[in-house]
Amino acid sequence: MHGIEMSYLNYFDADAAWSVAREFAEAGKHAAVVVKHANPCGLAVREHQIDAWEAARAGDPVSAFGGIVAFSERMNSDTADKMRGLLLDVVIAPNYDDEALAILRTRRRTRVLKVAADDPPRLEVRSVSGGALVQEPDNLDGDEFQDFRVVTERAPTDEEEIDLWFAWRACRFVKSNAIVLAKDRALVGMGAGQPNRVTSVNLSARVAGDEAVGAVMASDAFFPFPDAVEFAAEVGVKAVVQPGGSVNDESVIDAANELGIAMVFTGRRHFYH
């Protein structure tokens, strides 16, 4: 609808951003997501779109510069006006108010995309030497949290349950080894694509800063050792969701119990590559 020509990576990142926004679309709510290099670095769900945008940007305000932004609902002028002054490569929404579009068209380089509401793809295809890999997407059922298993002495509170489900859903869009810290239905820290899980925990905590206190943590695959959970407790994390399945699950659970952390096992992993 506006802006300079889309590049290969613009399409790739825009698709990643819209996939997250679509996942978190919810009746009566607004989801906003900021993506860099196909990883969501900001994400929030709020009653008002402008609040969702501000919370998503706050998740990593440094990385939001030059980012790709997607909204689950029609963009209004208040949100578009609030975005002034921040360089953005792509903005995506199902539609735009006339005044919002007029504001966005004052940007010289930002690509403004209108995307049709759609369902997630039924298959994912990845090229490899000599052929292609085809798999079903890693989709989640809305009732799946009811099947999660509490493995610690302390069960999550009602508020923690909401954030754990939010974090687990967000974590599937982050490249492995993936760690997500979330609080109040907003991403406050993220560690992606690291060769070991402890580094991802450190990165997510560094981004979150003081917001890590009282947050929950999601891990896309099991913790092989207690060290990641121990570090998460040091920065203030109160609850953890992870697949389980390590030979050291018992020692990880013991560490969580000693630290007063609630932990749930999902029985499945994301492991996005």
Side-chain angles (χ1 to χ4, degrees):
M1 302 186 76
H2 173 72
I4 61 176
E5 184 179 358
M6 293 277 287
S7 70
Y8 175 92
L9 289 179
N10 288 150
Y11 280 111
F12 188 73
D13 285 341
D15 181 65
W18 174 242
S19 295
V20 180
R22 176 178 54 201
E23 164 69 22
F24 285 88
E26 183 180 330
K29 303 287 186 180
H30 291 269
V33 57
V34 183
V35 160
K36 288 292 284 289
H37 302 287
N39 285 298
C41 57
L43 170 64
V45 176
R46 295 288 186 268
E47 289 188 12
H48 301 288
Q49 188 176 72
I50 192 170
D51 295 333
W53 160 246
E54 290 186 311
R57 181 180 180 180
D60 189 345
V62 175
S63 297
F65 180 84
I68 289 78
V69 179
F71 297 90
S72 62
E73 312 299 326
R74 182 187 188 99
M75 182 186 282
N76 60 50
S77 58
D78 288 342
T79 304
D81 190 58
K82 195 69 176 180
M83 294 163 65
R84 290 182 190 269
L86 177 65
L87 176 67
L88 298 170
D89 274 3
V90 185
V91 176
I92 308 127
N95 213 331
Y96 301 84
D97 290 349
D98 290 342
E99 188 176 349
L101 190 57
I103 293 171
L104 292 174
R105 281 178 168 160
T106 63
R107 294 171 174 266
R108 290 187 300 166
R109 298 180 55 84
T110 301
R111 296 96 167 158
V112 180
L113 307 182
K114 176 182 175 181
V115 59
D118 59 351
D119 294 322
R122 296 183 179 180
L123 293 174
E124 293 179 343
V125 181
R126 178 72 61 86
S127 61
V128 294
S129 299
L133 300 174
V134 182
Q135 69 173 2
E136 294 179 348
D138 178 21
N139 293 327
L140 294 175
D141 188 311
D143 297 326
E144 189 169 322
F145 191 84
Q146 305 303 318
D147 299 326
F148 290 178
R149 180 165 59 96
V150 178
V151 296
T152 48
E153 296 167 358
R154 185 175 81 80
T157 65
D158 291 344
E159 292 79 10
E160 288 169 348
E161 281 192 4
I162 293 171
D163 281 341
L164 286 169
W165 177 236
F166 176 93
W168 180 244
R169 291 164 67 199
C171 195
R172 77 183 183 95
F173 296 101
V174 179
K175 288 185 173 61
S176 195
N177 286 309
I179 294 291
V180 164
L181 299 186
K183 184 163 63 174
D184 299 329
R185 300 191 76 185
L187 189 154
V188 297
M190 179 273 288
Q194 299 303 308
N196 68 78
R197 202 155 295 279
V198 178
T199 300
S200 288
V201 176
N202 275 268
L203 288 173
S204 62
R206 187 172 70 185
V207 171
D210 292 341
E211 288 298 317
V213 178
V216 307
M217 179 171 73
S219 174
D220 71 324
F222 64 66
F223 293 109
F225 304 103
D227 50 2
V229 174
E230 291 167 348
F231 180 80
E234 288 179 14
V235 299
V237 168
K238 297 301 183 183
V240 174
V241 56
Q242 60 132 323
S246 167
V247 295
N248 288 323
D249 274 351
E250 187 173 344
S251 62
V252 174
I253 294 170
D254 287 343
N257 282 328
E258 291 176 7
L259 296 164
I261 286 179
M263 182 178 290
V264 297
F265 281 6
T266 66
R268 60 175 288 183
R269 67 180 186 177
H270 292 312
F271 224 49
Y272 177 47
H273 284 69

